[in-house]
Structures are given as C-alpha cells and as structure tokens.
Amino acid sequence: MVTGGKRENIIVLTKPETLEGESDADYTAPSLLQLILSLFKNVRPGSDLTSFQLPPLLNLPKSQLQSYGETVYCTATDMLSRCHHGEGPHERLIAVVAWSISTLRPVKFGVAPYNPVLGETHHVSRGNFNFLLEQVSHHPPVSALQATNEEENVELTWCHRVAPKFHGTSVEAVLQGKRQLKLLNHGETYVMNAPNLSIRFLPGPGTDWVGNVKIQCQETGLEAEYCCKSSSFMWRRGNHRYIKGKIFESSSLKTLYEIDGHWDRIVRVKDINSGEFTDIYNAKEVISRLNATIVKDPRELWPSESAVVWSEVSQCILSKDWEKAREAKRTVEEKQRELLRERGSIGESWVPKHFTVSHSKENGWDCSPIQKRVPPGPIVVPL
C-alpha cells in the first residue's frame, strides 16, 4: 500500500493486477468458500448485475475506474510509444496489436473493484503520457479515458461500458465501446474493440477473456483480427488463454501475417511471404513485477480522484475490518444517492466535466474529450 497527502485527504494506492504467482503483500483475496457463499446469497439466475453492489469482502481495494487506467499505463515497457516508433504501417499495426493484447490482465476470481460513482476521476502520468479517466454515467456504468503525449503527438480515447449477465454457472461481462489510438505524426487512427470477460463457477472456477477483437486503420488500409479463446476445462492448458488471428489488407483481404500465442505468455506473428516468426508480445516482460503508482503532488489531488473517494473503504479492506468497510462503502454510495436526489429536486441534469457523451441504438455510447490535451497528473507511474 502507498499513501500520500494530508491527514484529511488520504489516498490509498495498491499494486495493479499482474501475472499469477506474483502476490500483492497488501491484499489477500478471500477463500473460495467465502466467495461462493457470498455470491450465491446475493444473486439468482437471470439477474441483471449492472447495479449489483458487492459486499466489501468481495471487493478489491480500488475502483474499477482505476483498474481500467492501470491496464493502459501499468506496463513494464512503454507499449504505446512503440506504436508511434514503428518504421512503417505494418510495423506500427503489429505494435498496436501488441498494445491491445497488453491490456488483457489476469482477473482474480470472485472479487472485483468498486463500482465508480458518477463524476469520479483518475488522473495519472507515465513519462510523457498523461491519462485522465472519468465516470460519465452511473446507470448504466460508462467510463471514459483520454491519454495524450505531446512530445510524440499520440492521442488515445476510450469509451467503456460493461454489461454483465448472470447465467447460473457463469457471468459474462460484455465490454461495449470504442477505443481510438491516433498516431498524429503518421496521420493514422486505429479503431478497435475489446474481448469479453467470462467468469466461470462450474465445472471449475476461473476467469477468461473471450471473443473477437478487430483493429482497423482506414488511412493505411490495414486491419487485424484476433480471437481470445479458452477451454472450459482448466486442465486443457493448450487452449488456455489462447490467441489466434491475422493481419490483412482491407481491400483485397490478403493475409499478410498470422497471429498466434497466449496472452499471458508469448504472442508471435508469422510473415506469410517469408515464413519468418517474430515474437511481438511477452507477458512476463510487460505485465510482470509491476509496482503501485505514487502520489507526486498531494495538493493537486481532486476530491473526485478514485483513490480519494474510496480511501477509507480501501484502508478497512486492507486491515480486514469488514464492518467499518461496509459503513464506509455505504457512506460513499449514500452520498451519490443524495446528490442524485438534489439534482432531481431542482430539475438539473448531471454533465461530465471532461467529456461530452452521446448514445444511440446504432452506435452505442460515444465519449469525446472536451480538452485537446491532458495536463500532467498528481499521481505518477514509477519507471
């Protein structure tokens, strides 16, 4: 755990999710029996889990908004800058594919971060990259992300909505929304989606990323597709966390490279013309031995910062004081309900501070940054 700030403005920061086998000394997940009893006590088959509130026992000591950010900025190597430094369109698209894979992290079974409150923010810097996230909707939960690097002229926007459903023996969290990575010096925009998260109770408990990811660059006429697969049976390791896909020309559909590997191990591409294999992603090098972020300037922390909003809850979870954790969590949630009632009483609609938000049946949710650049954040990623 890392804390910073004045006594009245404490921030709690814990390590990001990393490869299995690397434990966080600050946090220990509850036992499998505790998880199962708590989950089945609170949900039934067919339940809509969008508004479901976990008891603190089943919460990680951080907000989901912070977790989203960590999948982008918490890497041992700068995957985003690699996209910018690629020498040609093929090399840059391969780097974008590798960065997309790096956002897939092992997820602890049965525990989850807090549901962000409306208007919650998370503002972090890593080197020349500055990241800003905001919870732009609560029902349904929608998160927005903007990242900019003025030195390399790179921009990233990310609109994210999770639609979970309980299916009796599993939960599938469908990740809706669009991600755009702009390499402005090259005049290229990469548009992509994300796979879904499957949380399985039977025949064996576990979590897996599943589904298809498509990455398109209209300017270069190149596309990439890869599918995240996993066996239903944990002992079939060959299919566990498997990725297979291709890079091809949009117009002719001609395959240029084949993608193959495991997102928690090695992913490589095969050049169809030469037959050569190249490792493009090594999970052990990218998402292993990650450290918690640190507070650089406590005076610049906003009251809406994720780790400030949930600081008391996180402290209680880390100390395993479950009664105080429930009270603290109830206080955060009740404050949000009170603000909602106040706005309703005067007929006022809530408006995000950092993004404009739109929604349609055809295009789903879309979030556009209000400011062109993200300023440096008070929280930094140790390099």
Side-chain angles (χ1 to χ4, degrees):
M1 178 180 69
V2 177
T3 60
K6 299 178 182 179
R7 183 180 181 85
E8 67 273 18
N9 194 27
I10 297 175
I11 183 170
V12 177
L13 297 168
T14 56
K15 291 183 179 180
E17 292 302 307
T18 184
L19 292 179
E20 280 119 339
E22 297 183 11
S23 62
D24 185 342
D26 297 320
Y27 172 76
T28 303
S31 69
L32 180 60
L33 179 61
Q34 288 176 304
L35 295 173
I36 293 175
L37 292 176
S38 297
L39 284 172
F40 282 94
K41 181 181 178 181
N42 290 280
V43 297
R44 296 179 179 179
S47 298
D48 182 353
L49 300 184
T50 302
S51 303
F52 175 63
Q53 297 293 329
L54 286 176
L57 176 66
L58 304 185
N59 275 130
L60 295 171
K62 67 180 63 184
S63 169
Q64 185 67 73
L65 195 70
Q66 181 181 343
S67 293
Y68 292 152
E70 288 176 346
T71 64
V72 182
Y73 59 70
C74 280
T75 53
T77 57
D78 192 346
M79 301 297 291
L80 278 173
S81 288
R82 285 186 180 181
C83 303
H84 163 76
H85 291 296
E87 293 185 358
H90 290 191
E91 188 173 322
R92 288 193 290 273
L93 178 53
I94 289 173
V96 173
V97 171
W99 169 75
S100 174
I101 294 170
S102 76
T103 64
L104 305 179
R105 306 296 172 89
V107 177
K108 288 186 175 71
F109 173 77
V111 292
Y114 318 122
N115 291 329
V117 299
L118 191 62
E120 183 177 323
T121 58
H122 187 48
H123 190 191
V124 178
S125 291
R126 176 202 165 94
N128 295 316
F129 269 103
N130 301 316
F131 302 85
L132 177 60
L133 296 93
E134 182 178 14
Q135 191 68 12
V136 297
S137 174
H138 189 65
H139 294 296
V142 181
S143 306
L145 177 150
Q146 179 190 14
T148 60
N149 182 331
E150 293 187 54
E151 183 173 302
E152 297 178 349
N153 218 12
V154 177
E155 297 179 1
L156 171 67
T157 56
W158 181 337
C159 187
H160 193 94
R161 183 201 169 187
V162 178
K165 288 291 183 179
F166 183 57
H167 299 298
T169 61
S170 66
V171 173
E172 184 174 13
V174 179
L175 272 61
Q176 303 172 346
K178 181 172 64 177
R179 305 177 183 184
Q180 284 189 327
L181 176 60
K182 295 184 178 182
L183 308 179
L184 298 176
N185 287 349
H186 302 291
E188 297 170 357
T189 298
Y190 296 84
V191 180
M192 67 202 80
N193 65 319
N196 301 327
L197 179 64
S198 174
I199 305 170
R200 185 182 60 255
F201 307 118
L202 297 172
T207 58
D208 298 301
W209 293 103
V210 296
N212 298 316
V213 175
K214 177 181 287 189
I215 303 172
Q216 297 175 298
C217 182
Q218 185 175 0
E219 294 82 2
T220 63
L222 297 176
E223 294 186 37
E225 293 179 350
Y226 67 85
C227 181
C228 296
K229 302 179 180 180
S230 186
S231 169
S232 298
F233 301 95
M234 297 296 289
W235 55 84
R236 293 177 59 184
R237 291 290 298 175
N239 290 336
H240 190 48
R241 296 176 173 173
Y242 181 56
I243 282 181
K244 189 173 183 61
K246 61 182 179 179
I247 294 173
F248 59 96
E249 295 176 346
S250 302
S251 57
S252 66
L253 301 182
K254 177 184 177 182
T255 299
L256 305 174
Y257 302 89
E258 292 179 345
I259 305 168
D260 186 84
H262 300 81
W263 63 260
D264 65 337
R265 282 161 273 175
I266 301 289
V267 178
R268 60 182 56 182
V269 296
K270 176 185 177 181
D271 187 322
I272 296 300
N273 289 330
S274 67
E276 294 182 357
F277 288 89
T278 303
D279 291 352
I280 66 168
Y281 181 71
N282 185 329
K284 190 173 182 179
E285 294 179 354
V286 177
I287 58 172
S288 180
R289 300 180 301 276
L290 302 178
N291 295 316
T293 52
I294 59 177
V295 181
K296 181 180 179 181
D297 190 349
R299 297 168 300 178
E300 297 298 322
L301 288 170
W302 297 332
S304 58
E305 167 61 45
S306 289
V308 173
V309 171
W310 299 100
S311 61
E312 186 176 355
V313 187
S314 296
Q315 286 179 305
C316 293
I317 289 176
L318 292 173
S319 62
K320 292 182 168 45
D321 191 335
W322 304 117
E323 185 57 37
K324 284 188 177 181
R326 280 191 291 271
E327 293 176 3
K329 189 175 182 182
R330 191 180 303 117
T331 298
V332 174
E333 294 164 352
E334 181 53 40
K335 182 179 180 180
Q336 178 170 243
R337 287 189 284 268
E338 182 180 345
L339 291 173
L340 178 62
R341 289 192 294 267
E342 290 178 359
R343 289 193 297 269
S345 66
I346 60 176
E348 182 181 89
S349 298
W350 183 83
V351 178
K353 292 183 179 180
H354 307 285
F355 296 86
T356 57
V357 181
S358 61
H359 175 263
S360 67
K361 289 185 178 180
E362 297 78 16
N363 301 317
W365 290 84
D366 192 21
C367 307
S368 300
I370 293 176
Q371 301 295 329
K372 186 171 180 58
R373 301 289 189 223
V374 178
I379 302 173
V380 297
V381 179
L383 300 177

